[in-house]
Amino acid sequence: MSYQFWRLWIALFHKFNDTSNHKVQIWIHAKFPQRVRSTWVRNRLINNYLHRKFNPTWGSLELTKVMFYMLKWAMQKDVDIDSFVFASESCLPIVPLEQCFSSDSYMKYSNGPTNGYSQQMQFDVLRNALRSGDAVFKADQWVLLSRPHALHLIGFMDAIDRSFHTHTLNNAHSNAQNNTYKTADGSAVNNANINAVSNAYTHPTRVLHNPHPSSSSSRSSDHRFFELFQGVHASDEMFFPTGLAILGHLPSADVTPDPPTSQKGKGHQWRVIQRRVTYCDWSESPKNPKQFDDWRQAVECSHVARALTEGCWVLRKIKMASRGPTRLMEWTKVVYSNEEVLAMTENELQDLLLSPLGGGGEGEEGREKDRKRRRGH
């Protein structure tokens, strides 16, 4: 499973770097948590900590909600984490962890469709709900968000919810325009841009059709901002870039994929770098990226080299059909140039993986099975 590579990625970082000023955490949401066997993965599941159960099927709004609530929970859980990146079980890191620290957000955004599907099922739906079509943006779902951007979006969504408790958007805006908002983790959000609430929706009562849902509703605890994305296919590609655009962190004109590579938010020093951190090859199909059977195939097809040239940190989509010490060693030889890492044997890598630096967690029984396997039993 790909989690072995992520464990080793973190363990190598701790072993060969001064990590006193850095902190790394992994949180996982499993679609079928009851099927998870790894103790290491189970210890990082957050399914039971979210306010309700989700069914994140491909392209559904539920997937978008899971991503957002994972982000919100992680921000509450650890206030020392400054950056948040999304990955799937088919993702692998392709650069050492020490190269991945940044105070900026990353997403290769665009505010124009690339095909008819995107036009009709994504942009048209959102532009019909927003006053300004310039605020509709798209990016791959595997974005990296800085804490300031994430906090601003959470504060904005909390402000929308509070505004509906006052029965009128205009009163909420006039009464709270200069207020300081606090999110669930107690962090302050100055000027949460509640003005965007009244400016964003063409027909608030139509888009947010039920201002005061019944408390018995299974979705009554969800943020109202999600209602904007009802009917949007693959809303996970639209949610974060559109949210940041509404808040003024993305440009409000057509965007090309070339320079400028960054955009300062209006009135803020927080940057959104117009570059993806996760490499996907969409050349074969606009619906699904190219899939590799294993890590070796991705290397042989030169996709790892292309991803590195583009400046990406993560590669997908890899099935992980083959795994084990041999694959871990092949991976380290591509990802690392550190001679100490390259000199490690298969057994040393596996021992590091199961050590406290790798998060431990598989239990003595699992470690004994691994020792027997390596001895040929």
Side-chain angles (χ1 to χ4, degrees), residues 3-39:
Y3 73 84
Q4 294 177 328
F5 293 83
W6 291 96
R7 288 181 66 180
L8 184 58
W9 188 61
I10 294 173
L12 288 168
F13 171 67
H14 286 294
K15 182 175 178 62
F16 295 107
N17 296 273
D18 177 8
T19 62
S20 57
N21 294 323
H22 295 92
K23 190 173 186 178
V24 181
Q25 295 282 5
I26 290 181
W27 294 285
I28 301 171
H29 182 277
K31 186 175 181 179
F32 302 106
Q34 68 277 11
R35 300 181 186 177
V36 174
R37 296 181 180 180
S38 165
T39 304

Side-chain angles (χ1 to χ4, degrees), residues 30-67:
K31 186 175 181 179
F32 302 106
Q34 68 277 11
R35 300 181 186 177
V36 174
R37 296 181 180 180
S38 165
T39 304
W40 187 88
V41 173
R42 286 202 303 269
N43 288 342
R44 287 156 180 80
L45 288 179
I46 67 169
N47 293 58
N48 292 334
Y49 297 102
L50 303 184
H51 66 281
R52 68 174 177 86
K53 292 183 179 180
F54 293 90
N55 182 30
T57 57
W58 180 87
S60 68
L61 185 56
E62 287 282 280
L63 177 57
T64 303
K65 291 180 178 181
V66 165
M67 293 179 65

Side-chain angles (χ1 to χ4, degrees), residues 14 125 133 182 191 209 254 328-329 338 345:
H14 286 294
V125 178
K182 288 188 179 294
N191 298 321
H209 56 275
D254 288 342
L328 290 173
M329 196 167 186
N338 184 322
T345 66

Side-chain angles (χ1 to χ4, degrees), residues 338-353:
N338 184 322
E339 292 183 0
E340 292 180 288
V341 174
L342 298 178
M344 295 181 71
T345 66
E346 291 183 0
N347 285 353
E348 288 173 334
L349 289 174
Q350 195 69 13
D351 288 340
L352 179 62
L353 181 73

Side-chain angles (χ1 to χ4, degrees), residues 28 69 224 233 243 259 279 292 314 320 324 333 335 344-345 354:
I28 301 171
Y69 285 116
R224 294 198 160 278
H233 284 220
Y279 180 88
F292 303 98
V314 179
M320 305 309 300
K333 291 187 180 302
V335 173
M344 295 181 71
T345 66
L354 297 173

Side-chain angles (χ1 to χ4, degrees), residues 82-83 99-106 144 146 271 273 313:
D82 296 323
S83 299
Q99 298 180 20
C100 299
F101 293 99
S102 174
S103 59
D104 299 315
S105 293
Y106 285 75
L144 183 152
S146 66
R271 297 191 307 169
I273 307 299
W313 302 343

